[in-house]
Amino acid sequence: MDIKITYNTLKKFLETESGAEKIAQIVSLCGPTFDRTHKIDEDYLFEIEAITNRVDTACAYGVAREANAILNQQKIPCKLTENIYTEKLIQKVGKPNKFEIEVKNPDKILRFTALAINNVKVKASDKITSELLTNIGERPISNVVDITNEYTHYYGCPSHIFDLDKIGKKKLNLRQSKPGETVKLLDESLIELKGDDIVIEDGDGKLIDLCGVMGGVEAVVDENTTNILLIVPIYDPKSVRRSSLYSQKRSIAAQIYEKRPDIELALPVISKIAQTIVERAGGVIDSEIYDYYPHPNPEKKVSIDLNWLNKFIGINLNQENVISILSDLGFSGNTEGKILTCTVPSWRYHDIDIREDLAEEIARVYGYSNLPSILPASQLPALAPSSLLRYELKAKKYLAAIGFSEVFNNSLISNDLITKSTLDTKSHLKLQNSLSEDFEFLRVSLLPSLIQNYKNNEALFDKIRLFELSNVYLKQNSELPEERSTLSLTTNLTFRETKGIVESLLRHLNVKLFSWKETSEHTPCFSKELALLVIGGKTVGVVGRIDPQVRINYSLKTDIYLSEINFALLVDLISPNYSYNPISEYPSIIESITIDSTKSVSELTDAIKQSDNLITGIEYTESYGNKHTFKITFTSPLKNLSQVEISSIKSKILQVA
Amino acid sequence: METIENRLKDIRHDLDHDLSNIHSQEEFDQLKIKFLGRQGLINTLFKTLPIKDNPEIPKLINILKSEIEVKIDQKSLSLSQELRTTSIDVTLPGINPPQGSVHLITQAIEEIENIFARLGFIRRRYPEVDTDWYYAEGLNIPKDHPARDDQETFYLDKNIVLTAHTSNGQLHEMELMKHPPIKMTNIGKTYRRQTDATHNPMFHQFEGLLIDKDISITHLIGVTEYFVKSYFGLDREVRLRPHHFQFTEPSFEIDISCDICQGKGKINDKRCKICKSGWLELGGAGMVHPNVLRNGGIDPEKYSGFAFGWGVERVLMMKSGLKLPDLRQLFSDDLRFLKQF
């Protein structure tokens, strides 16, 4: 929660010689962050970020309390000038005789204090108050209303004033709203309630307050008001948050209530406000203070072992220093040996629970910047990293080195892209709360985006080589999808060149044994011109020409070639060891052989390989119709091969046709 | 005899002609073979002329042979001179192999991984799509906590989210390792319902987690400083500010000094436009909350630890002086952009 306070307001609570800039700089490192400091006339304006669990610092008094503890630790002279919790009340607590209050929703009203003041004179605020409110970004309204806003700013405890004479039968019924009820708020907006909001209904059945969010116009204070009812309530945080969010009224009060302000502030604050109203607007206090407080918070204690503390922070702190820090922050307590038992102050009731919370208080006020920087000398963990991550990087670097550019696409894609690439939308996981149609489905293939990437570059470059190596998300029977590392390529090279790229990558990754298989099954995105990559009997990927329909859908100017590989599976099949074949001392003989056959080249290659174990290399050269030419290498590890031996192997080879 | 002399004369003539037309080593080698090779002109003379009938003939051939040898040797010398001085336009552009590129984000991830690896942190990959337990409840964020209605999280259903941070890896790592020491970085894709100049709905985070005996705040500072100085440079400073996260206690916001204004917050008396008073936010960190340790099966009485989760794109943009006006440009597929890195 971002708040603004002025330097002069801070000095109302904090006696110090320190300048605004210095305070901002020091306090930021140990407490609330002063995002910016602006010079204004004779004053400074601080923009301060109060962290969500520290609503006690969302006001001038709270910031002063923090600053006091922090500056003290830095040996900078300063003093907190008041303790609001111990000041004498302006009026005693008792029964309300001028108004009636009934709480019908006791579990939502944590505390409710109220007080009537008669014969006030409503007019504009004085210059000082108006300027203060303007500086902190609020609009001055009238002397009495401005006082409530001013005190919220001081103490972080919201309050509200009704025109007592506009409250039907001077009766307030606190209850939960019913769905469809409407309330008109002070800003003239009419809110249709969803039900279960905290509201106040007067004796005539009118709703006069959307509690914790904004007052209603029905009992608004105006220039004719003379008798007022001042309330300082504390409401259930979740209810207020809900009402505030859906009604889109993010008032300061709502932002404070949803973060659980100090329940013990209600009485002292109502007393202070009443006193100030009498001072500035005249009037007489016409009732005792009504105080509904059914379940006061029990005392809360947290213990901390100083030995543990020193280990946890990493340095040895002096015990007196620890105690003085805690005491400046409002903790009281006692020490037994090295154990400190601290009583948590009311304004920290909801954020201090365990010893780690106390450790934070001590360490931050001591100053994180006073802690040394130490590299931990811990043992190495027992489990090695996965090879998948290593191979992913190796593959990426190799592909980049042979001309491919890596793309990062969003894991979330549109229905449009899925349809264009002829994939089935139903096979995709769909977000419940997508941001837009563009990012709605978790992709099961990288190709829909990668083809689009190609399309986007088509007009700019002659040769395009793109790849992505990312997870795809596949539905499974289990709760979570399979996140599968996948590699995809798009190129406008030829089929054989694209296939060659995959083959060279495989060799680079130390995959030596792989084969290509034809298939009659349809693979989305691919035409019939495709080959399956098979390693160890498993289909690992596919290379092929784009499906003509997909080409049309993406309006591509030419055919392109695609490949998609299950990279996770591929990595499982990589041999982690290198193998070594001794190099023969005897020269190899290389001969070209042309075979006339209707078999496929890959079948012929396999068959040639099997025909004799002196064949140590087969290189396909070219084909004319059914005539296929291979360059074949013959090597013996034991001797020079004679022409006779070669001829006999060659005749074996010719039989494979 | 006359015809023989004519033949020799023809060869001499031939040689002179050939020699004057030689400009490369290959042509020279061929010429040598043509005249002096096994099947060369000289040997052909020996084979075809009636040398046995006339002892003068071999004499004449041998004279011719040594003449040729001398001329060839001379040519060899002059040719090597010629080849040394003959030049092409060496300023012509080289012919390059096709050049691709590893994406900037991959490069940043590799660098980050390596920095932490030097400190013994092992990189893991944990789910991007995870259950509420690992993502929130197990990290000490109860079902009804206000942190949950920030509306930044993508849901697949009530219990399954696209992780908005990499901290879900913390509990997975504790379950995997069972016992400290635990030292891991989880670098992965994360998702938030945001898109503007500094947010892409998908981005990357790196999570660090160290759990062992006697791990203290000073260790968190040490590791953070090691990373900042390794990644951004030795002149960058680190500071911690108090913050609040549910899964760490205490929690910090970590800032590093701004390189544009050298941490002063001002350039020539004008407010630095890049930073807040000389500091840039790196991200959150903290000591692992005892509830989170317990949820991961680790006894907080015996062990303590720290964790942090920072944005890959964020450190990349902070470091490189890329001056990208929009973070989303990192996810552009334009080869004119990609090939720059």
Side-chain angles (χ1 to χ4, degrees):
Chain A
M1 179 175 177
D2 296 323
I3 61 157
K4 288 175 180 166
I5 64 172
T6 65
Y7 179 53
N8 283 338
T9 310
L10 187 65
K11 296 242 286 191
K12 185 174 147 67
F13 302 106
L14 185 73
E15 214 175 276
T16 176
E17 296 295 312
S18 284
E21 305 258 3
K22 190 170 180 193
I23 291 179
Q25 190 200 340
I26 294 174
V27 176
S28 287
L29 291 178
C30 306
T33 301
F34 288 56
D35 279 335
R36 294 192 196 283
T37 306
H38 309 274
K39 180 89 185 79
I40 44 162
D41 301 327
E42 299 300 296
D43 201 352
Y44 290 89
L45 184 70
F46 300 123
E47 288 177 33
I48 296 173
E49 186 195 350
I51 306 167
T52 47
N53 67 330
R54 292 298 309 276
V55 68
D56 63 297
T57 62
C59 61
Y61 186 64
V63 172
R65 187 167 46 211
E66 284 281 312
N68 179 55
I70 292 160
L71 296 174
N72 264 337
Q73 174 66 28
Q74 309 275 326
K75 307 270 183 286
I76 296 168
C78 62
K79 208 176 109 191
L80 209 54
T81 56
E82 71 167 57
N83 183 347
I84 188 179
Y85 297 93
T86 55
E87 279 176 30
K88 193 172 176 295
L89 298 180
I90 191 171
Q91 180 61 272
K92 65 176 180 179
V93 175
K95 284 210 168 88
N97 44 358
K98 300 287 168 182
F99 53 91
E100 203 185 321
I101 293 181
E102 192 181 342
V103 178
K104 294 179 172 165
N105 48 354
D107 54 324
K108 304 289 180 189
I109 312 297
L110 308 181
R111 192 164 194 178
F112 198 89
T113 61
L115 175 73
I117 304 174
N118 283 353
N119 292 321
V120 296
K121 283 202 171 54
V122 177
K123 56 185 179 193
S125 282
D126 57 24
K127 192 162 164 268
I128 297 176
T129 310
S130 302
E131 271 179 14
L132 172 68
L133 291 178
T134 310
N135 280 335
I136 62 170
E138 291 197 48
R139 195 167 53 88
I141 297 163
S142 66
N143 54 352
V144 287
V145 174
D146 291 350
I147 293 168
T148 60
N149 291 333
E150 188 183 338
Y151 275 76
T152 303
H153 177 58
Y154 289 161
Y155 297 106
C157 183
S159 51
H160 186 64
I161 294 176
F162 299 105
D163 183 331
L164 187 54
D165 299 319
K166 290 183 186 166
I167 300 175
K169 304 194 173 62
K170 298 200 167 41
K171 173 156 193 203
L172 294 101
N173 288 309
L174 277 78
R175 63 165 173 87
Q176 295 303 96
S177 70
K178 297 169 208 127
E181 279 188 294
T182 56
V183 56
K184 197 168 187 187
L185 301 180
L186 286 174
D187 64 0
E188 299 286 326
S189 58
L190 186 72
I191 304 294
E192 185 177 329
L193 299 173
K194 291 195 170 172
D196 221 17
D197 308 272
I198 310 170
V199 291
I200 300 178
E201 179 191 308
D202 72 358
D204 294 338
K206 299 182 308 242
L207 294 188
I208 57 168
D209 195 7
L210 177 55
C211 293
V213 180
M214 200 180 282
V217 286
E218 292 287 358
V220 64
V221 170
D222 56 35
E223 64 276 15
N224 301 318
T225 299
T226 51
N227 303 323
I228 59 172
L229 179 70
L230 166 66
I231 65 167
V232 180
I234 308 283
Y235 299 114
D236 171 60
K238 281 173 195 155
S239 295
V240 174
R241 180 168 173 81
R242 172 179 164 271
S243 304
S244 159
L245 283 176
Y246 86 71
S247 66
Q248 297 186 354
K249 301 292 171 199
R250 301 293 291 147
S251 61
I252 290 176
Q255 291 183 58
I256 290 177
Y257 280 129
E258 70 191 22
K259 298 183 180 72
R260 303 203 275 193
D262 181 7
I263 203 161
E264 296 303 333
L265 273 174
L267 265 191
V269 164
I270 198 168
S271 173
K272 282 235 174 210
I273 295 177
Q275 197 175 341
T276 312
I277 290 175
V278 171
E279 278 164 24
R280 294 192 198 163
V284 284
I285 291 172
D286 196 34
S287 74
E288 294 179 334
I289 303 175
Y290 168 79
D291 183 16
Y292 171 85
Y293 188 19
H295 308 293
N297 284 332
E299 194 177 55
K300 187 174 191 176
K301 289 187 171 175
V302 179
S303 295
I304 185 167
D305 178 339
L306 291 172
N307 289 330
W308 172 85
L309 175 76
N310 287 337
K311 268 195 198 170
F312 187 71
I313 296 181
I315 55 166
N316 284 324
L317 286 165
N318 170 302
Q319 183 163 342
E320 281 71 51
N321 195 176
V322 171
I323 291 170
S324 80
I325 289 172
L326 289 172
S327 152
D328 277 346
L329 290 170
F331 292 85
S332 56
N334 57 61
T335 320
E336 266 189 67
K338 289 279 175 192
I339 311 283
L340 242 63
T341 304
C342 304
T343 304
V344 178
S346 58
W347 59 90
R348 302 299 302 276
Y349 199 82
H350 299 292
D351 89 286
I352 302 285
D353 291 307
I354 52 176
R355 60 182 182 184
E356 283 80 2
D357 295 322
L358 290 177
E360 170 170 32
E361 296 307 296
I362 297 156
R364 72 181 174 88
V365 174
Y366 176 79
Y368 292 138
S369 55
N370 294 323
L371 299 181
S373 161
I374 296 171
L375 281 178
S378 74
Q379 301 298 306
L380 284 177
L383 274 176
S386 90
S387 49
L388 175 64
L389 298 170
R390 192 159 48 89
Y391 281 118
E392 279 186 358
L393 188 61
K394 190 171 179 177
K396 284 179 175 189
K397 286 185 171 175
Y398 182 72
L399 288 167
I402 61 169
F404 279 76
S405 288
E406 185 185 11
V407 195
F408 268 72
N409 287 303
N410 205 310
S411 313
L412 296 163
I413 61 173
S414 63
N415 185 42
D416 179 51
L417 219 48
I418 295 171
T419 318
K420 266 162 103 175
S421 50
T422 67
L423 287 158
D424 181 7
T425 309
K426 285 201 286 290
S427 66
H428 291 70
L429 288 161
K430 187 181 177 186
L431 291 184
Q432 264 188 348
N433 58 337
S434 62
L435 199 54
S436 72
E437 284 182 355
D438 292 339
F439 312 111
E440 204 171 10
F441 294 93
L442 278 169
R443 56 189 175 159
V444 301
S445 161
L446 306 181
L447 290 171
S449 320
L450 208 57
I451 298 169
Q452 187 63 50
N453 300 147
Y454 179 90
K455 170 68 193 165
N456 295 346
N457 283 291
E458 193 178 39
L460 298 169
F461 293 89
D462 291 339
K463 286 261 158 60
I464 297 176
R465 303 174 176 87
L466 295 170
F467 81 95
E468 185 174 10
L469 209 177
S470 277
N471 282 345
V472 297
Y473 309 83
L474 306 170
K475 277 190 190 175
Q476 297 191 111
N477 284 331
S478 60
E479 207 176 13
L480 295 174
E482 180 194 347
E483 295 177 23
R484 180 190 286 169
S485 177
T486 301
L487 169 66
S488 294
L489 312 170
T490 54
T491 77
N492 56 358
L493 306 172
T494 64
F495 178 81
R496 281 187 64 203
E497 282 169 328
T498 311
K499 196 171 154 189
I501 279 154
V502 173
E503 290 172 346
S504 76
L505 173 68
L506 292 171
R507 282 187 208 101
H508 184 73
L509 297 176
N510 203 29
V511 179
K512 296 217 173 82
L513 295 172
F514 55 82
S515 59
W516 296 97
K517 250 182 32 197
E518 291 164 290
T519 176
S520 54
E521 263 176 62
H522 173 67
T523 309
C525 294
F526 289 87
S527 68
K528 293 263 180 265
E529 192 178 308
L530 88 166
L532 298 178
L533 171 64
V534 179
I535 303 172
K538 289 178 178 155
T539 302
V540 177
V542 52
V543 170
R545 180 162 56 83
I546 191 168
D547 181 336
Q549 186 56 51
V550 177
R551 178 183 155 183
I552 292 167
N553 295 346
Y554 280 87
S555 329
L556 297 177
K557 279 189 259 169
T558 59
D559 271 336
I560 61 170
Y561 290 88
L562 316 170
S563 175
E564 187 150 81
I565 291 166
N566 177 344
F567 199 77
L569 177 57
L570 171 67
V571 167
D572 284 343
L573 298 169
I574 290 175
S575 157
N577 302 317
Y578 290 99
S579 56
Y580 160 69
N581 288 321
I583 297 160
S584 174
E585 285 175 40
Y586 302 94
S588 298
I589 290 167
I590 299 170
E591 300 229 353
S592 274
I593 295 178
T594 298
I595 301 171
D596 194 342
S597 170
T598 52
K599 287 182 180 167
S600 75
V601 169
S602 107
E603 281 173 301
L604 288 174
T605 310
D606 287 346
I608 295 170
K609 215 176 277 171
Q610 317 252 313
S611 60
D612 198 291
N613 54 18
L614 294 176
I615 298 171
T616 54
I618 306 162
E619 191 187 321
Y620 167 78
T621 323
E622 59 190 344
S623 302
Y624 288 103
N626 285 337
K627 291 196 171 71
H628 310 291
T629 307
F630 299 88
K631 226 187 239 176
I632 298 179
T633 309
F634 307 90
T635 324
S636 162
L638 306 172
K639 57 175 184 176
N640 278 318
L641 290 172
S642 68
Q643 208 51 54
V644 180
E645 283 166 306
I646 302 283
S647 300
S648 101
I649 302 171
K650 273 165 84 176
S651 61
K652 273 202 266 177
I653 289 173
L654 288 170
Q655 282 161 24
V656 305
Chain B
M1 197 66 191
E2 199 179 316
T3 48
I4 293 171
E5 282 180 350
N6 274 346
R7 275 185 73 182
L8 297 184
K9 199 170 142 197
D10 283 351
I11 290 175
R12 276 196 188 90
H13 184 263
D14 215 9
L15 176 74
D16 290 342
H17 174 263
D18 283 5
L19 280 173
S20 62
N21 282 318
I22 282 174
H23 298 288
S24 75
Q25 189 65 46
E26 291 74 32
E27 287 165 341
F28 177 79
D29 291 343
Q30 271 167 21
L31 173 128
K32 241 170 121 175
I33 293 166
K34 177 177 169 189
F35 288 91
L36 301 174
R38 220 159 20 127
Q39 323 267 341
L41 292 173
I42 295 294
N43 274 350
T44 313
L45 285 178
F46 279 120
K47 279 178 205 157
T48 53
L49 293 179
I51 43 177
K52 282 186 186 146
D53 307 341
N54 187 346
E56 282 302 306
I57 295 175
K59 234 187 215 169
L60 284 173
I61 299 176
N62 277 326
I63 291 169
L64 175 64
K65 190 181 174 190
S66 36
E67 252 180 68
I68 292 173
E69 282 169 351
V70 168
K71 281 191 176 168
I72 282 181
D73 280 354
Q74 282 170 350
K75 182 67 193 178
S76 170
L77 267 176
S78 68
L79 180 67
S80 59
Q81 284 302 325
E82 191 186 341
L83 287 180
R84 228 172 253 155
T85 50
T86 301
S87 65
I88 52 159
D89 178 357
V90 292
T91 65
L92 287 175
I95 296 168
N96 284 240
Q99 204 132 21
S101 51
V102 176
H103 199 279
L104 269 178
I105 293 174
T106 299
Q107 295 184 34
I109 288 175
E110 186 192 9
E111 196 177 348
I112 293 163
E113 178 183 349
N114 287 342
I115 290 171
F116 286 107
R118 295 201 285 274
L119 295 178
F121 284 75
I122 287 174
R123 182 175 168 201
R124 308 267 193 230
R125 175 177 288 164
Y126 284 115
E128 298 163 35
V129 183
D130 213 344
T131 59
D132 183 80
W133 169 256
Y134 290 99
Y135 173 70
E137 199 169 2
L139 294 177
N140 202 32
I141 307 172
K143 282 253 162 22
D144 56 355
H145 196 275
R148 287 178 175 243
D149 44 44
D150 57 16
Q151 295 303 311
E152 279 181 16
T153 306
F154 286 117
Y155 287 87
L156 282 179
D157 68 40
K158 219 167 72 228
N159 191 41
I160 311 289
V161 300
L162 267 61
T163 53
H165 52 65
T166 40
S167 304
N168 62 318
Q170 292 187 18
L171 290 173
H172 285 294
E173 181 73 4
M174 292 180 217
E175 284 173 7
L176 174 78
M177 299 296 293
K178 293 190 179 70
H179 305 288
I182 288 172
K183 263 184 156 178
M184 72 122 190
T185 47
N186 172 31
I187 311 180
K189 288 188 162 78
T190 41
Y191 304 86
R192 285 187 195 169
R193 293 186 79 247
Q194 285 180 309
T195 174
D196 58 45
T198 54
H199 296 93
N200 194 57
M202 181 188 86
F203 59 106
H204 297 78
Q205 272 204 341
F206 55 112
E207 183 85 9
L209 176 70
L210 169 60
I211 302 170
D212 206 345
K213 286 198 168 106
D214 299 334
I215 294 301
S216 71
I217 299 174
T218 56
H219 294 137
L220 167 59
I221 298 174
V223 169
T224 301
E225 211 167 83
Y226 182 82
F227 170 73
V228 167
K229 299 213 180 251
S230 306
Y231 188 79
F232 293 102
L234 291 172
D235 56 335
R236 306 295 280 278
E237 297 299 325
V238 175
R239 74 171 189 186
L240 274 63
R241 281 181 293 122
H243 203 72
H244 177 72
F245 304 108
Q246 280 293 118
F247 39 100
T248 47
E249 187 65 51
S251 304
F252 316 100
E253 193 72 63
I254 292 181
D255 296 339
I256 64 173
S257 56
C258 174
D259 57 333
I260 307 294
C261 64
Q262 270 90 44
K264 293 189 180 74
K266 282 177 183 164
I267 303 169
N268 301 331
D269 267 355
K270 278 192 181 158
R271 192 186 288 279
C272 174
K273 286 193 181 119
I274 305 297
C275 64
K276 278 183 182 172
S277 314
W279 297 91
L280 296 161
E281 273 181 35
L282 172 64
M287 302 302 286
V288 182
H289 196 288
N291 289 350
V292 177
L293 290 174
R294 263 179 229 117
N295 291 340
I298 286 172
D299 183 356
E301 292 303 320
K302 281 195 198 153
Y303 299 104
S304 53
F306 65 76
F308 53 82
W310 301 328
V312 172
E313 288 83 356
R314 185 172 179 80
V315 296
L316 177 62
M317 304 264 288
M318 273 162 81
K319 175 193 188 177
S320 51
L322 270 179
K323 309 248 165 25
L324 287 183
D326 191 325
L327 179 139
R328 288 171 293 187
Q329 228 172 309
L330 282 173
F331 297 93
S332 155
D333 61 8
D334 192 326
L335 275 169
R336 290 170 299 181
F337 171 78
L338 296 171
K339 278 183 180 284
Q340 290 180 37
F341 309 105

